[in-house]
Amino acid sequence: MPRGLALARPAERGVTGDRRVVALFSATMLTSAILLFAVQPMVARFVLPTFGSAPQVWAVALVFFQAVLLLGYLYAHVSSSRLGVRRALTLHGVLLVLPVLVLPLGVPATDAGTSAGNPAWALLGLLTVSVGLPFFVVSTTAPLLQRWLVNTDHPAGRDPYFLYRASNFGSVLGLVSYPLLFEPRLALDDQGRWWTWGYVLLAVLLFACAAFVWRNAGAARPVERGADEQLTVRRRLTWLVLAAVPSGLVVAATTVLTTDVAPIPLLWVLPLGLYLITFMIAFSSGGRSRWVFRASVWLMPLAILAVAVVTVAEIRSPLWLILTVHLVAVFLVAMVCHGRLAQDRPAPQKLTTFYLVESAGGVLGGAFAALLAPLVFNALWEYPLFLVGAALLWPGVRGVKPRRVWDLAWPVGLGVAVYVALTELSYENAVLIAGAAVCVLFALRRPARLAAGLAALFLAGTWGVAAAGTPVIERERNFFGVRTVEQGSGVRSLVHGTTLHGNQLLRTGLPQPTTYYHPASPIGQLVTGGPRGITRRTAVVGLGTGTMAAYSQPGDEWTFYEIDPEIVRVARNPRYFTYLRDAPGATEVVIGDARLSLEEARDRTFSLIVADAFSSDAIPTHLITREAIDLYFRKLVDDGVLAFHISNRYIDLESVLGNLAREARLACYAGDLDAPLGEGIEEANASAWVALARRPEDLGDIAGDGRWQRCETGPDSHTWTDDYSNIISLLR
């Protein structure tokens, strides 16, 4: 989210005025920044369950906050340039009081249909109603405080950029404090109340600042530097692009990370926090900031090419390596772009224009990544696109300019060589690393050459890996992610993001359960070894390919709950999968959020509920809370069984369910199968499941099966509720 954060030291400008005024304005700026950036992950966490815990929730939320920030900067620009000082102060005093009408923060109730289809606009509307007005008012503080100070006779008004030292620090502090301090310790309602008290403090500080400006506005003197500085169209467009690229890159990188792991606030704030830190460094005075900028210029090509290798090769472990590669690239790209912005910042008299253009660039970049890209791309192509854009903005490290013909000739040669090597050789990682190394060697002289080489590596690498891998017969994308239908030798698969969501063997006869659901899997053991009639009335949260329907029996009634209508379309298409069509029992699919939809079902209806919904590589947190467990058991018959699929590369959810079962006095058993058992089982994947019931005997044979163990538990304080969850503590 763009914020022009200049940090010239007042002492270096000859400021000798009242330090108490500087302290007051700095404290106000610090408070404003903390509130501005703490509320973003907080409110996104509020609305996450309503939209199926999709990774795109944070991307759309970021665009919303960027757009409101732009409106705040526009208000600051117009009020400070068109109104007199005292009329502007009066207007803002009235504006400060209005958020009292919507505080404390909260999210209005929604129905199950809110998240169906493409809910981006519904999400924007919900954010507007819940936090739009308070966020707008807080977002005006930064440019207004600077402009107010310019309109006084205080010496600091000669160059008020120093105020952003406090703003930068507050921005990062507010952002990182949420996942590390507030989310693990406070319920959502308490978080909203604490933010409200913070807003009250900000209002008091702003009224104090306004009182000082009111008393001293009459003696204001002209700004000494840059009164007639010209802001050409070319210069403004440059600011716009330099702000748009890192903003869009943050959104795109966050989408990639949360798709591979889980949509959690920690992975939201890490890229955005690094983005803000680059502002702190870029707009600071002194030699250290210049040294960091020069080092970033040198290192950026290596970082973005490393992302190309990791992305094209689909490297997903170890987690620390994946996070490091993506986050370092975000930091270096943002550092280079924001460094160039800092070098070209205008005089204080033009600062509101500077922030307005910069904010507009941030909105454009974020909106492209969050709103437009899912509509025009069938994969996460916005990420490499922003990296190529960053390469074009790279200032380079040498002054010699080679002939332009090589800017196009050598990337074409690189792309052809990488594609041929990937389709003919089996060492794809080595090929991609070699291609990246060649790109570095030939690109150091020209940004255009670096961008062309990076694009060639992405395109040739993606096409080469695809040609050597499983053929894709359909790829679609919407708000909930990218779905790919692949067909290999004798099997057809559905991949959602980077997670396999089921496959089907291509043979005649009734389809057999495969992947995580094969007969020897924990869920296969539960269904076949559970009490008689366990499947007679079954609810399955999460559809996938509909593989679970293969376990239905004649006379059974199965209801699948699925939030993504495109998954329903694929599962019902007999050209792809026939589990639903060929199910021995009757099947029904309900579209919408599972918890909200289950609320509408009659109590004591189901004999078995299977929670198999995955957002990214993890079950959505709102489906695994105290309130969710209570809901499931209200809908189960007295001897009903609840099963959770908890397979995950990075997160261990067994203790979460163990705690919930202990609190509700339920029987809880965990089954974890690393390899298929028995002969004749094909296309089997390792999986981990947890089964819960009111009594151990309700679970049938598995309660005494050595392959199932009682669930592990953790401290009582770690029991998840709708108001509290802490995924960070569960990372492997």
Side-chain angles (χ1 to χ4, degrees), residues 295-349:
S296 299
V297 170
W298 276 96
L299 294 174
M300 195 185 89
L302 298 174
I304 59 180
L305 288 165
V307 171
V309 173
V310 168
T311 303
V312 174
E314 298 182 349
I315 300 172
R316 301 191 183 101
S317 62
L319 178 59
W320 66 267
L321 175 63
I322 304 305
L323 289 175
T324 300
V325 169
H326 291 289
L327 293 177
V328 167
V330 167
F331 175 84
L332 293 175
V333 169
M335 187 66 238
V336 170
C337 292
H338 294 158
R340 292 187 59 187
L341 276 172
Q343 293 170 356
D344 194 36
R345 67 181 184 268
Q349 194 176 38

Side-chain angles (χ1 to χ4, degrees), residues 232-242 357:
T232 63
V233 173
R234 179 184 179 89
R235 190 178 180 189
R236 297 186 193 203
L237 287 176
T238 301
W239 293 345
L240 195 76
V241 174
L242 286 171
V357 174

Side-chain angles (χ1 to χ4, degrees), residues 10 13-18 21-22 25 145-163 212-213 220-225 347-351:
R13 302 290 185 182
V15 175
T16 58
D18 188 356
V21 173
V22 174
F25 275 73
L145 279 182
Q146 287 184 100
R147 188 62 183 174
W148 287 358
L149 197 57
V150 169
N151 288 326
T152 71
D153 61 350
H154 195 279
R158 298 170 181 167
D159 193 344
Y161 283 105
F162 78 90
L163 283 174
F212 170 79
V213 176
R221 59 192 178 206
V223 177
E224 297 176 2
R225 181 176 66 88
Q349 194 176 38
K350 308 288 186 179
L351 62 86

Side-chain angles (χ1 to χ4, degrees), residues 119 242 291 332-333 375 533 570 574 629 730:
L242 286 171
W291 181 88
L332 293 175
V333 169
L375 298 178
V570 170
I629 297 295
L730 304 176

Side-chain angles (χ1 to χ4, degrees), residues 481-504:
V482 179
R483 290 160 308 286
T484 305
V485 180
E486 302 174 351
Q487 183 167 318
S489 177
V491 65
R492 187 176 293 127
S493 305
L494 172 64
V495 179
H496 194 198
T498 61
T499 304
L500 178 65
H501 275 219
N503 64 24
Q504 182 173 340

